[in-house]
Amino acid sequence: GGARASFGDLTLDSTLHCGNGHDFAQIAAGHYRFRARCGLAPYAWRFLMEIESPGDGREITLEVADFNHEGRTPWHESATAYSLDGGESWLPFPTDRLEIVDWTPTGHREIDAAYGDASHLPYGVRYRLTLDAPRVLFASPTPFTLEHRDRLLAELAAERPDAVALATVAQSAHSPATGFPVRIARITAPGRWATRER
């Protein structure tokens, strides 16, 4: 999970599973920047956030300051997606509504020096989003969330109760503020292989 910040009637919330958005700041009217890399992590390439607003059709610029996929083109960001229905369905974000820009260093030498390698040079991406709904999920790439995992496992167990058993085995220590259940599916084969679990 990441951070949450409000700017007037706009809230950017990355505290959900797969979140990874930190250090939100307003750069100018309607322009907000955040970081996808946390601490001394050498790479940043994903984020997920919920954008809450009146859903009045305003356009905002949302800028990730520090991506570093191998490459630096809109094509490399074509996995960016958004959802207007709480993550049930994801739509591709148009690449003509994003722009590759220079990265924004943190200003802390130790953190900035630890960034990436020769193949993963840092850069920024600016997205122009139209907020047509009061709740928009925005991600790069399309996330596989805990809700998707739990639904998939439940469907699998319901379809094959003779072979699939679900269990929660631990709670993750993902961050000091959040923890998530670690779930497993014990899968057995029928017949003489039924005692062999995977």
Side-chain angles (χ1 to χ4, degrees):
R4 175 185 171 98
S6 293
F7 306 92
D9 60 2
L10 178 78
T11 298
L12 305 173
D13 184 0
S14 194
T15 60
L16 36 150
H17 177 253
C18 297
N20 208 43
H22 308 270
D23 300 331
F24 290 103
Q26 184 168 5
I27 304 307
H31 184 173
Y32 308 91
R33 181 186 293 147
F34 69 98
R35 297 191 177 280
R37 183 175 63 133
C38 188
L40 293 177
Y43 303 110
W45 56 271
R46 67 168 181 85
F47 64 82
L48 167 64
M49 72 181 64
E50 179 179 274
I51 304 168
E52 299 170 8
S53 74
D56 50 13
R58 76 182 72 172
E59 183 175 292
I60 65 167
T61 298
L62 190 59
E63 179 178 340
V64 60
D66 56 356
F67 259 8
N68 63 339
H69 293 122
E70 188 166 1
R72 189 187 160 109
T73 69
W75 180 86
H76 289 91
E77 306 312 321
S78 60
T80 305
Y82 67 99
S83 174
L84 302 175
D85 60 8
E88 290 298 315
S89 57
W90 289 88
L91 303 167
F93 188 78
T95 55
D96 63 352
R97 306 234 350 129
L98 66 84
E99 173 188 10
I100 306 299
V101 296
D102 290 336
W103 82 300
T104 304
T106 66
H108 299 282
R109 189 178 328 160
E110 179 187 19
I111 294 174
D112 294 338
Y115 203 110
D117 58 37
S119 296
H120 297 83
L121 301 176
Y123 59 92
V125 184
R126 287 184 187 150
Y127 308 92
R128 295 189 321 276
L129 286 82
T130 303
L131 302 180
D132 287 330
R135 181 174 180 245
V136 176
L137 291 176
F138 190 58
S140 180
T142 306
F144 185 77
T145 65
L146 292 176
E147 291 80 13
H148 288 98
R149 177 205 64 186
D150 290 343
R151 185 180 315 128
L152 178 65
L153 292 179
E155 289 171 0
L156 185 62
E159 190 175 300
R160 293 297 309 270
D162 58 322
V164 179
L166 305 180
T168 299
V169 295
Q171 188 81 2
S172 74
H174 183 70
S175 78
T178 59
F180 300 101
V182 177
R183 303 269 290 152
I184 65 167
R186 289 191 173 103
I187 302 174
T188 60
R192 66 191 183 113
W193 303 108
T195 59
R196 297 181 64 182
E197 294 183 345
R198 291 291 181 266

